[in-house]
Amino acid sequence: MEIKVVHQIMEWNEDCSDEIKKELAAKKVCLVNVMGSPGAGKTSVITSIIKAMSDKFRIGVIEGDIAGQIDAERMKLLGVPVVQLNTDGACHIEAMSIQNLLPEFKLDKLDVIFVENIGNLVCPAEFNIGEDFRIALLSIPEGDDKVEKYPLMFRTTDALVLNKYDMLPHFDFDEKRVEENSRDINPDINIFRISNKTGDGLDVFINWLTKRIEGKLNA
């Protein structure tokens, strides 16, 4: 008798992910999965995206955390519909959790849902959640060895955002190393250098993301 515990879990997650894609495609809603370590700046970057895109798109947010609702409270202040997803110890979000949360939104009144995944560079990369795009954040203080240590995160993302770029002079961070390692495993990756604090580079990144979302919604 063959036992395929991991395979079955992943296969089940993929089926659920496909169902989410079909449902959101029918509703003309784009799902964006934002991943990165704790402190990489996921919440702050999503906040900047919402402020820049609110005149173009109707936006909702799913905030993933192991516990608490600090980030969800920040999103609520922006006036967007937000749902807090607490995993109670799990290190990632699975597709079924997203599927169960979608009825909390009025999908007919949304264009985009941003999902802030649980903060780490391992587990979130392994599970599709029905997303149309993946964004991986890597902040300068985290170090330039993360692509080599956690390749799956960067192999499966559409965009790598080097955040806190204004801190580059203060850290021994080899951005060429990061870019070369990223392109070696993901030749199609889009790399952006931004400072959410100063705003530098945000316009280029947000313009790229806007075009990707528009392309998906108009497909």
Side-chain angles (χ1 to χ4, degrees), residues 6-191:
V6 174
H7 175 72
Q8 288 177 348
I9 290 173
M10 296 295 288
E11 186 176 75
W12 161 83
N13 189 80
E14 289 301 310
D15 290 344
C16 192
S17 176
D18 290 342
E19 291 173 3
I20 293 170
K21 286 184 177 181
K22 291 178 182 178
E23 179 180 359
L24 293 182
K27 295 287 187 178
K28 291 289 185 180
V29 176
C30 184
L31 189 69
V32 182
N33 187 1
V34 182
M35 300 175 288
S37 300
K42 296 186 296 300
T43 306
S44 297
V45 170
I46 293 174
T47 297
S48 294
I49 291 172
I50 292 172
K51 289 179 178 178
M53 289 186 173
S54 59
D55 60 334
K56 287 181 174 290
F57 305 117
R58 300 167 298 175
I59 300 171
V61 178
I62 295 174
E63 277 294 341
D65 287 296
I66 289 177
Q69 57 183 47
I70 296 173
D71 294 338
E73 293 292 343
R74 289 177 62 183
M75 293 297 168
K76 186 178 179 181
L77 294 176
L78 298 176
V80 298
V82 56
V83 176
Q84 177 69 51
L85 171 59
N86 287 344
T87 63
D88 298 323
C91 61
H92 63 277
I93 295 174
E94 294 183 8
M96 180 170 281
S97 296
I98 299 298
Q99 191 173 50
N100 289 339
L101 286 179
L102 290 182
E104 300 295 327
F105 294 98
K106 296 178 180 179
L107 295 179
D108 292 332
K109 297 184 178 181
L110 290 180
D111 300 307
V112 190
I113 298 175
F114 288 95
V115 179
E116 181 175 344
N117 217 310
I118 306 302
N120 73 83
L121 294 174
V122 184
C123 304
E126 299 180 9
F127 292 84
N128 292 323
I129 57 171
E131 68 269 52
D132 295 291
F133 311 118
R134 286 184 164 196
I135 297 171
L137 265 65
L138 176 63
S139 64
I140 299 302
E142 292 177 69
D144 55 20
D145 59 353
K146 297 301 179 288
V147 178
E148 294 159 87
K149 288 184 174 182
Y150 311 105
L152 184 61
M153 173 63 70
F154 304 95
R155 184 182 298 122
T156 61
T157 193
D158 297 286
L160 166 58
V161 177
L162 298 179
N163 191 26
K164 305 184 182 180
Y165 196 68
D166 55 299
M167 302 184 73
L168 187 64
H170 307 292
F171 288 87
D172 185 15
F173 186 96
D174 187 346
E175 57 182 308
K176 183 178 179 181
R177 174 187 182 184
V178 171
E179 181 165 356
E180 289 179 350
N181 288 332
S182 298
R183 297 199 187 282
D184 281 345
I185 61 174
N186 186 354
D188 297 324
I189 195 170
N190 297 273
I191 301 177

